[in-house]
């Protein structure tokens, strides 16, 4: 049984180092299928977004919950000790490539150049993550500034380039959705249907499950990411 809704769960410590525009934080990027949610648990920061609705800056502090849909470019800015719990719909899709960073147009247009800029080497990952972030900020700022001026053309161009970049690898994404959130939604629908018919046998099979604690940190787009393994077995009965 996966996490509710077929979502994934991770701890995120947002990068504190500063990009060329003077802001500390992660790489601006967009998701193409999945909705992402930040639940802030510590520190201070901001969420900078650019999307069809315009440009926004949302304060981040403990207790704030904010989520953004596919197509919204987002950038986590760390103003001091920013830590969030990330809930991502369609578990497995982000790992399959459902995220495109806002590299400059010439990099986005060349899949090999994009891959070289996006993939971190085995050694020197912190430095490479900073370079990757800086390149994404370089491509993000013109999109943001154009939106502020009322010009959505660069955003549309970025969306088109991102979609073209993932076209080949998106072939199997439908199966990820089918086997995750869609399967769970159909299961819930079936239970509701059974209850309306006077049957509640699923209650007799209910279990308690516990996630395995955060895994070793990896260099994510926004910061050090500690995925939580929610594919655990039911809790063992205590004697």
């Amino acid at each position: 049984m996966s996490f509710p809704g077929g979502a994934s769960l991770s701890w995120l410590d947002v990068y504190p180092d500063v990009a060329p525009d003077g802001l500390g934080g992660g790489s601006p990027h967009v998701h193409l299928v999945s909705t992402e949610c930040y639940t802030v648990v510590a520190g201070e920061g901001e969420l900078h977004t650019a999307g069809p609705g315009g440009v926004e800056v949302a304060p981040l502090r403990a207790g704030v919950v904010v989520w953004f849909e596919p197509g919204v470019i987002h950038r986590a800015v760390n103003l001091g000790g920013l830590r969030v719990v990330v809930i991502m719909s369609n578990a497995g899709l982000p790992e399959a490539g459902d995220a495109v960073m806002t590299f400059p147009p010439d990099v986005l247009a060349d899949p090999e150049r994009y891959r070289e800029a996006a993939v971190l080497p085995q050694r020197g990952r912190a430095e490479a993550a900073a370079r990757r972030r800086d390149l994404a900020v370089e491509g993000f700022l013109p999109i943001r500034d154009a939106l502020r001026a009322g010009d959505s053309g660069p955003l549309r161009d970025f969306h088109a380039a991102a979609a073209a970049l993932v076209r080949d690898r998106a072939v199997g994404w439908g199966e990820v959705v089918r086997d995750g959130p869609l399967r769970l939604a159909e299961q819930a629908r079936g239970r509701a249907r059974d209850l309306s018919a006077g049957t509640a046998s699923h209650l007799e099979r209910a279990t308690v499950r516990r996630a395995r604690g955060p895994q070793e940190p990896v260099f994510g787009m926004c910061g050090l990411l500690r995925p939580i393994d929610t594919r655990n077995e039911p809790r063992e009965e205590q004697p």
Side-chain angles (χ1 to χ4, degrees):
M1 177 68 69
S2 63
F3 193 71
S8 64
L9 194 64
S10 303
W11 287 100
L12 172 65
D13 292 298
V14 177
Y15 294 130
D17 58 298
V18 177
D21 66 342
L23 297 177
S27 303
H29 65 282
V30 73
H31 295 285
L32 302 176
V33 177
S34 301
T35 295
E36 184 173 7
C37 173
Y38 281 2
T39 299
V40 184
V41 295
E44 299 281 341
E46 296 173 341
L47 178 68
H48 293 211
T49 58
V55 175
E56 296 185 42
V57 175
L60 298 179
R61 56 185 179 276
V64 168
V65 178
V66 60
W67 62 93
F68 30 93
E69 297 178 337
V72 174
I73 300 171
H74 46 285
R75 177 190 186 186
V77 172
N78 190 348
L79 300 179
L82 183 60
R83 168 176 272 201
V84 304
V85 173
V86 178
I87 303 171
M88 178 73 70
S89 67
N90 305 312
L93 278 193
E95 295 81 0
D98 174 34
V100 174
M101 284 174 275
T102 54
F103 295 153
D106 59 323
V107 179
L108 290 170
D110 186 334
E112 183 58 28
R113 286 187 66 191
Y114 182 91
R115 190 196 68 80
E116 290 177 356
V119 176
L120 300 181
Q122 289 298 319
R123 303 181 70 174
R125 291 198 164 196
E127 295 79 5
R131 289 193 299 270
R132 180 177 70 178
R133 185 270 318 280
D134 294 350
L135 188 63
V137 169
E138 178 184 338
F140 169 69
L141 295 180
I143 298 173
R144 181 202 65 185
D145 293 344
L147 281 173
R148 284 177 171 169
D151 179 9
S152 61
L155 176 65
R156 291 196 301 270
D157 291 344
F158 170 69
H159 283 166
L165 192 63
V166 305
R167 180 176 179 179
D168 290 341
R169 65 175 179 259
V171 172
W173 289 1
E175 284 71 22
V176 175
V177 177
R178 179 200 63 198
D179 296 339
L182 184 58
R183 177 180 61 83
L184 294 176
E186 290 293 347
Q187 182 185 68
R189 186 182 181 197
R191 289 170 175 174
R193 186 167 53 244
D194 290 346
L195 286 167
S196 69
T199 301
S201 59
H202 65 277
L203 300 180
E204 300 173 3
R205 300 188 297 273
T207 61
V208 174
R209 297 175 183 265
R210 179 177 296 137
R212 296 183 178 93
Q215 301 172 33
E216 289 298 312
V218 297
F219 286 93
M221 282 177 283
C222 291
L224 288 177
L225 198 64
R226 293 175 172 83
I228 297 173
D229 187 354
T230 58
R231 301 167 300 169
N232 206 352
E233 294 301 316
R235 186 183 66 185
E236 295 182 2
E237 293 294 332
Q238 299 299 316

